[in-house]
Amino acid sequence: MASKKEALELVEFYEENYRNPKLERFIISGLYDLNPEKEAQLEVESKWPKKWLNNGKAGVYFFLDENLEVVYIGKSNHFGYRFGSYFEYDENKNCKTKHTWKTNPRFVLTVAVPDESKFECTGLEEFLLSKIVTTDNKLFNNRE
């Protein structure tokens, strides 16, 4: 698995080498903590149940574990709607996952693309999946 730092270095590499320099730059969020009731020694930008970072934007997102290792990479045309398909409130208003994960996500990090280049989401996601092995993606994870 790759670390948050390694994943962001790949996003930067993609942006510098595969995009037209005239395009607006990606907007990279800070960390969003899905489980703030658990103590964390990290600085987060926001936490459950506050609004998702880059909400309403399109782009690529990373689900990270407690050690900031990438466990899943996905793309979305609207982060808020997409994350609503993964997470919901439990009986105590804490974050509950709707899916079974091999590695439970703890943090979310988003990379929003400019509105005029939403088409980039697929290319960026596939580039990242070709470079990063995760525990929960199926695409590219069967490579040798």
Side-chain angles (χ1 to χ4, degrees):
M1 289 194 309
S3 69
K4 170 190 164 213
K5 180 180 184 280
E6 293 165 326
L8 290 177
E9 287 171 353
L10 285 169
V11 169
E12 184 179 328
F13 179 86
Y14 179 92
E15 192 166 35
E16 290 174 2
N17 293 282
Y18 296 109
R19 297 183 77 230
N20 185 318
K22 294 179 182 177
L23 288 172
E24 196 177 316
R25 297 195 52 92
F26 295 146
I27 302 165
I28 301 172
S29 74
L31 293 175
Y32 182 95
D33 191 350
L34 295 168
N35 304 114
E37 69 280 1
K38 297 178 183 176
E39 190 172 325
Q41 303 300 324
L42 302 168
E43 185 175 324
V44 297
E45 185 175 337
S46 191
K47 59 187 175 184
W48 184 269
K50 293 182 181 172
K51 190 170 152 182
W52 298 107
L53 299 172
N54 284 323
N55 190 45
K57 298 274 187 194
V60 172
Y61 56 90
F62 299 96
F63 291 159
L64 308 162
D65 67 10
E66 301 227 351
N67 300 313
L68 297 182
E69 297 287 321
V70 178
V71 300
Y72 185 81
I73 300 168
K75 70 176 181 303
S76 176
N77 287 322
H78 188 291
F79 289 126
Y81 294 150
R82 185 68 180 128
F83 297 153
S85 74
Y86 288 120
F87 308 106
E88 64 187 354
Y89 289 102
D90 70 8
E91 61 279 354
N92 297 319
K93 300 274 186 194
N94 293 323
C95 182
K96 174 183 169 187
T97 60
K98 294 182 181 181
H99 300 281
T100 303
W101 298 88
K102 291 178 185 172
T103 306
N104 283 325
R106 169 69 191 269
F107 301 101
V108 179
L109 186 136
T110 60
V111 179
V113 300
D115 290 339
E116 68 273 3
S117 61
K118 287 183 180 181
F119 61 86
E120 290 187 279
C121 295
T122 300
L124 177 58
E125 180 197 33
E126 289 196 17
F127 170 78
L128 293 167
L129 287 170
S130 74
K131 304 291 185 193
I132 299 172
V133 175
T134 68
T135 59
D136 285 86
N137 284 98
K138 293 180 180 149
L139 187 63
F140 292 110
N141 271 355
N142 294 329
R143 44 190 166 170
E144 308 242 345

